[in-house]
Amino acid sequence: MGLKKIGLSIFIAIFFLNAGYMLFFGRETFQVKPSAAQTPKYLYHFVLISEEIDNEYWRLVEKGAKTEADKRHIHLDYLGPKQANNEEQLTLIDKAIAGKVDGIMTQGLSNEKFNYLVNKSVQKGIPLLTVDTDAPDSERQVYVGSDNYRAGKLAGEELVKNTQGKQKVGIVTGRLDASNQKLRVKGFEDVLAKHKRIQVAGIEESNITKSGALQATYELLKNDPDITAFFGTSALDGIGISQVTSQYQSKNKPFIISFDTLPETMALIRTEQINATVGQYPYQMGEKAVRTLLSVKKGKLPQPLQFTKTDIIKKTKPTKLWRASR
């Protein structure tokens, strides 16, 4: 019996020794260790949060930001609501802060919750820049984008310069509550206010969609069939305006000023279905936003207003001055 007990003890000892040996070496053999190739190559993680994720204009901002981020070894996430929605945008900002990203670029909003989130971001050491639309009452470090009031003035000056006689103007704006849109309308109206021959017939919201711009144009013409000119303040507005007004006889065609340089807009300018557009440069805006955010991240303090280029784009030689014909 003694020998059996000894043999059993030896067997148990050998069993546990082998088990420990296998556990140790198995763990060492199959444990995945990060290699140099798996180590992240980027220096920072930035997030760009748009007004509407698949909007053509915002996709150009994303493209410029992504190009610049890649050059500077920055990982960039691009996020946004499927359709323009302030609450969804605010939720995405909050999630980015919770995710402890290194910097945030987002369209500015004019509400208390946005201001609260900006303060929260800054307090957590995450710099936040506004892009395209500013929120000057918040604690955002920098705004990168167009001088929207000046852009509206450029549109107004173009209308004054290229029309004669009495004009009634319909305004189609992307969003009535968006500060960038309001500034464009304000700049436009301030120029027209100096010319008694030109009156604003009305303003309608497109919700930054082509279908919305179509409906807004129909509403304006239903309310005042004598409209002789239109100004569209967001990227798809001019396209929608043109589509509606093209149904009229050529002698009744209004003078149209649009916004942005989407390919469809430029094609309509070449055929004079749109007379002029306010050119802003979303690709360059995205590039500059990344450079500016990187500068802030490194402790530098750039000027708080980083305006990007705006100008009027039209056919080289306009055919005539536009006369009221309604």
Side-chain angles (χ1 to χ4, degrees), residues 250-319:
S250 59
K251 67 177 183 179
N252 292 327
K253 186 179 179 302
F255 189 89
I256 300 172
I257 303 176
S258 64
F259 224 92
D260 290 320
T261 55
L262 298 180
E264 189 173 354
T265 299
M266 300 310 294
L268 290 169
I269 285 177
R270 286 191 290 272
T271 58
E272 293 190 284
Q273 290 174 274
I274 290 177
N275 301 90
T277 191
V278 179
Q280 53 177 359
Y281 298 85
Y283 184 93
Q284 287 83 355
M285 199 180 292
E287 288 182 311
K288 188 167 188 174
V290 169
R291 288 197 300 269
T292 304
L293 184 55
L294 180 60
S295 179
V296 173
K297 187 67 184 175
K298 290 181 175 180
K300 298 178 182 177
L301 296 174
Q303 289 295 318
L305 295 177
Q306 295 286 322
F307 289 136
T308 51
K309 183 181 176 182
T310 51
D311 54 17
I312 292 291
I313 299 172
K314 57 187 177 181
K315 285 191 72 172
T316 305
K317 295 180 180 179
T319 55

Side-chain angles (χ1 to χ4, degrees), residues 31-49:
Q31 184 180 25
V32 178
K33 295 181 178 179
S35 65
Q38 292 171 316
T39 302
K41 295 180 180 179
Y42 55 83
L43 300 174
Y44 296 110
H45 178 189
F46 290 169
V47 175
L48 171 62
I49 300 173

